[in-house]
Amino acid sequence: DSGVTQTPKHLITATGQRVTLRCSPRSGDLSVYWYQQSLDQGLQFLIQYYNGEERAKGNILERFSAQQFPDLHSELNLSSLELGDSALYFCASSPHPHQPQHFGDGTRLSIL
Amino acid sequence: KNEVEQSPQNLTAQEGEFITINCSYSVGISALHWLQQHPGGGIVSLFMLSSGKKKHGRLIATINIQEKHSSLHITASHPRDSAVYICAAYGSGNTGKLIFGQGTTLQVKP
């Protein structure tokens, strides 16, 4: 158990819909990262938050947004979903940047 | 060309064999993560290293910053080692953003 909790584990929805993925980091970790893993692209960095502030952005679509709340949990919002958004979405956390990251079990998103 | 390249992409070994997975990167990095992804999808952090060598049980990771190369070794491999092994580099900026290799799928046969 990494201590990083992601909900839900599975999500099935339709094109055009909007979903929210939730991540609770390990106790004491200030940094949260979101990654997308699709079959054809492998693991890709989406966005990072540190103590409530956005720290780095990767290949995150404009239809996607995220935030980190005062209690340090984070949410990734995906809107106007397309078939290509089907993927595993991982959240990871670390105490500070450049320290070992611990991964949640992921949310498997399927778009029908 | 990817910034982080792994080889081989696929590896089949017999139980007990010594296994090496290689990772080369073209960007300046501050550290490198080795990750293990199980068939069910979960990702486990194995090592984070910025120089030299680290050992944990039957796993050994080495890195040569000058040559921009890292290796993950598994001694006395076992079928339970079957997984995807991913190396991921921390960029030189102070963000903690990871740049991933494409992964090496390892199957260890009994």
Side-chain angles (χ1 to χ4, degrees), chain B residues 24-104:
Chain B
S24 297
Y25 49 91
S26 57
V27 294
I29 72 164
S30 57
L32 191 126
H33 244 311
W34 279 101
L35 307 167
Q36 180 193 53
Q37 186 168 25
H38 299 291
I43 295 175
V44 174
S45 174
L46 298 174
F47 297 102
M48 177 178 165
L49 64 169
S50 54
S51 65
K53 177 178 171 177
K54 285 192 176 180
K55 184 175 191 292
H56 182 70
R58 295 180 295 106
L59 300 178
I60 303 165
T62 63
I63 190 167
N64 185 318
I65 294 287
Q66 286 74 27
E67 293 188 5
K68 297 188 174 179
H69 182 267
S70 176
S71 293
L72 176 69
H73 305 286
I74 306 174
T75 62
S77 59
H78 190 276
R80 65 175 174 266
D81 297 325
S82 299
V84 177
Y85 293 84
I86 303 166
C87 75
Y90 284 95
S92 52
N94 188 28
T95 64
K97 163 188 168 181
L98 285 173
I99 307 165
F100 296 90
Q102 68 271 52
T104 295

